[in-house]
Amino acid sequence: MGGMGGMGGRGRPRQPPPAPKSIAVPEKTRVQIHSLQSKPEHNNCIGIVKSYDVATGRHQVELEGSHDTVLSLKPGNMTVMNKVEITNLEAKPELNGSQGTVESYDPANGRYRVSCTIAGRAGALALQPQNMIPTVGSVLKIDGLQGAAEHNGKWAKIAAIDREAGRVTAEIVGANKSLKIKYENVRC
């Protein structure tokens, strides 16, 4: 009797293991589309995540207002439009505590465009991640961790906020794991 070399495989090609669900943005999440090369006409459009295709690593996103247009997008081509609280602004401390909505991200300067009410009028601010406190239930991407770098790039749902420590408790999507991380280590 020989070894157990071919046991169980008998002519079937091996399938690669599925990608972890923690890289997927949850369904029904509202996103802003950006940085598309092949279909630039959809840049700056708003869409709703319909599903995630593990085989391609892409999200199926339906354009808002168009049930006919569904795009297959990489996670890097979407910004999640979360509600946030403005915090730690030194130049405009009167805006600290104000609520806003993330509208877009500018990778050139590392800032988010956040719409909010300023002096009774609609306006927008360009904020760094450390100047935004996400709301509980928000879905964000983990980024910039050094001690737990294996979690960078994963999506997480905010479970709690510790304002005194300047941290959020982030539950990794698709995993039974939560982390306490600084505001600056989550991306929309």
Side-chain angles (χ1 to χ4, degrees):
M1 294 214 181
M4 298 165 50
M7 197 168 154
R10 303 215 171 147
R12 284 181 271 153
R14 290 185 187 236
Q15 296 291 325
K21 285 295 270 182
S22 61
I23 62 171
V25 176
E27 293 176 10
K28 300 180 183 174
T29 301
R30 195 165 183 248
V31 297
Q32 184 253 356
I33 300 164
H34 60 83
S35 306
L36 296 179
Q37 302 293 316
S38 65
K39 296 190 177 193
E41 67 273 16
H42 296 302
N43 287 334
N44 299 315
C45 289
I46 306 301
I48 305 295
V49 175
K50 300 309 255 179
S51 63
Y52 177 71
D53 184 341
V54 174
T56 64
R58 292 174 178 252
H59 295 84
Q60 305 311 306
V61 177
E62 182 179 281
L63 291 184
E64 200 168 70
S66 169
H67 298 292
D68 298 335
T69 306
V70 177
L71 303 174
S72 181
L73 301 176
K74 297 176 189 175
N77 293 116
M78 306 180 303
T79 297
V80 178
M81 300 178 72
N82 287 312
K83 300 276 186 210
V84 296
E85 178 184 324
I86 298 166
T87 190
N88 298 326
L89 287 182
E90 294 177 10
K92 296 187 177 202
E94 67 277 8
L95 296 178
N96 291 331
S98 299
Q99 302 295 313
T101 301
V102 173
E103 298 293 337
S104 61
Y105 178 69
D106 182 353
N109 65 14
R111 292 177 183 257
Y112 289 91
R113 184 178 191 276
V114 177
S115 62
C116 58
T117 302
I118 302 170
R121 296 192 328 234
L125 299 169
L127 299 176
Q128 296 176 344
Q130 62 265 27
N131 296 118
M132 304 183 311
I133 302 173
T135 57
V136 170
S138 295
V139 177
L140 302 160
K141 190 180 345 181
I142 299 171
D143 185 57
L145 294 181
Q146 308 231 334
E150 68 274 14
H151 298 297
N152 290 333
K154 294 181 180 178
W155 292 91
K157 188 173 188 175
I158 303 304
I161 299 166
D162 182 346
R163 292 171 190 282
E164 193 170 305
R167 296 178 182 265
V168 297
T169 301
E171 296 175 343
I172 298 175
V173 174
N176 189 19
K177 176 86 175 158
S178 63
L179 304 169
K180 289 191 176 189
I181 56 180
K182 296 176 184 177
Y183 303 150
E184 64 199 56
N185 293 119
V186 290
R187 303 285 185 263
C188 293

